[in-house]
C-alpha cells in the first residue's frame, strides 16, 4: 500500500513540472503512460502466535482420542538380545518303562563234541609224598616213604620222581622241618637251572621249616624231583639223627590245549 502511494506522488510531481515549462494556453499531446514500476519490498513479519495446548499432559495419559491421533506408527521389531544364564538343575524324572525284547540271535555253530566225564577226570594230576626218615637226606635225589595222595599215580615212588603224563602247567611245592640246616633244590629235567633253597639253623635246638616251590610248564615225560645238596652245612648237621620231615607236593594247574 505504501509503495502504491509513493508511485501516485511521483506521477503527480512529474505532471506539475511539465506544466511549469508550458505557456498558458498551449496544449501538447498527452504523454505516453509510464512503465510499470518494479515490485515493492516484502512486508514486515507478523506477530508470534499463542502457544498451543500440550500433546500429552504431564500427570497422566491425557485425552485418549488426542493420544490416538498423536500416536505414531508401529516400529520394526528390535534385534534378539543375548542368551540368558543357565537355569537350575531340574529333578530326576521317574524311570521309564522297560524296552521291547531284542531280536533273536544267530544260530550257534558246532565246535566239536564235549568231553565225557572220564576224559575230564584224566586231566587231573596230583601228589603229596612224605620223607619221614630221621637220617640227614644224602646229597642226591630224595626218596619218600609214604604217600598222602598220588592220583592218578604220576609220582613214581620207586624212583622218587614225578613223570609228566599230561602236558601242561604244574605247581610244585615242598616243606621240610628239622633242627639242623637244610638245603633242598627243586629239579626239572626240562629246566637248565635247579631251584635251590637253604635254611641255616645255627642253634640246632629248635625246629626250622624250609619251603620252596615253583610253577613249571612241562611236556609229556618231563621229570621233576627234589634233591638234597651240599652248601655250607657242617658235620653236625649231616650227622644229626633227630626227627626230620620233608613233604613234596605237585598238581596240574591246567593242561595245554594242544
Ligand atoms: C615213616 O612212615 C612209615 C609209613 O607211615 C612208617 O612205617 C615208618 O615207621 C615211619 N618212620 C619214622 C622214622 O617215623
Ligand atoms: C619207576 O621208576 C623206576 C626207577 O626209575 C622204574 O624202574 C620204574 O619202571 C618206574 N615205574 C613206572 C610205573 O614207570
Amino acid at each position: 500500500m505504501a509503495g502504491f502511494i509513493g508511485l501516485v506522488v511521483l506521477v503527480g510531481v512529474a505532471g506539475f513540472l511539465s506544466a511549469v515549462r508550458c505557456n498558458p494556453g498551449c496544449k501538447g499531446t498527452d504523454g505516453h503512460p509510464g512503465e510499470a514500476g518494479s515490485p515493492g519490498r516484502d512486508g514486515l513479519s507478523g506477530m508470534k502466535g499463542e502457544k498451543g495446548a500440550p500433546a500429552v499432559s504431564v500427570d497422566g495419559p491425557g485425552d485418549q482420542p488426542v493420544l490416538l491421533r498423536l500416536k505414531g506408527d508401529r516400529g520394526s521389531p528390535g534385534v534378539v538380545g543375548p542368551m540368558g544364564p543357565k537355569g537350575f538343575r531340574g529333578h530326576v524324572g521317574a524311570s521309564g518303562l522297560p524296552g521291547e525284547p531284542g531280536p533273536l540271535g544267530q544260530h550257534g555253530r558246532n565246535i566239536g563234541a564235549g568231553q565225557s566225564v572220564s576224559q575230564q577226570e584224566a586231566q587231573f594230576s596230583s601228589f603229596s609224598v612224605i620223607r619221614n626218615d630221621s637220617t640227614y637226606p644224602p646229597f642226591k635225589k630224595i626218596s619218600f616213604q609214604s604217600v598222602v595222595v598220588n592220583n592218578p599215580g604220576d609220582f613214581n615212588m620207586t624212583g622218587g620222581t614225578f613223570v609228566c603224563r599230561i602236558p601242561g602247567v604244574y605247581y610244585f611245592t615242598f616243606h621240610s622241618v628239622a633242627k639242623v640246616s637244610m638245603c633242598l633244590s627243586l629239579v626239572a629235567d626240562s629246566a637248565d637251572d635247579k631251584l635251590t633253597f637253604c635254611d641255616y639253623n645255627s642253634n640246632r635246638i629248635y625246629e626250622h621249616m624250609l619251603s620252596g616251590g615253583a610253577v613249571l610248564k612241562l611236556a609229556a615225560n618231563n621229570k621233576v624231583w627234589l634233591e638234597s645238596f651240599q652248601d655250607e652245612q657242617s658235620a653236625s648237621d649231616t650227622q644229626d639223627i633227630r626227627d626230620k620231615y620233608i613233604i613234596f607236593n605237585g598238581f596240574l594247574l591246567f593242561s595245554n590245549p594242544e
Side-chain angles (χ1 to χ4, degrees), residues 128-227:
S128 204
V129 293
I130 293 171
R131 181 189 194 271
N132 62 353
D133 198 323
S134 58
T135 60
Y136 198 89
F139 298 132
K140 61 176 187 178
K141 181 189 286 187
I142 290 174
S143 59
F144 300 87
Q145 288 84 52
S146 62
V147 175
V148 180
V149 166
N150 190 12
N151 183 10
D154 295 343
F155 193 86
N156 183 332
M157 285 294 280
T158 312
T161 306
F162 172 82
V163 183
C164 176
R165 182 177 47 86
I166 305 162
V169 175
Y170 289 78
Y171 180 54
F172 297 93
T173 182
F174 67 84
H175 312 277
S176 76
V177 180
K179 291 189 171 78
V180 292
S181 301
M182 276 281 203
C183 284
L184 300 174
S185 57
L186 183 65
V187 188
D189 62 354
S190 61
D192 296 334
D193 297 325
K194 297 177 178 180
L195 300 166
T196 63
F197 305 84
C198 278
D199 168 65
Y200 288 100
N201 190 338
S202 54
N203 63 54
R204 296 193 183 88
I205 298 169
Y206 304 110
E207 287 179 316
H208 274 206
M209 197 179 82
L210 171 68
S211 292
V215 173
L216 299 174
K217 186 179 180 187
L218 302 179
N221 291 317
N222 279 165
K223 295 177 177 62
V224 180
W225 63 89
L226 208 57
E227 276 182 11

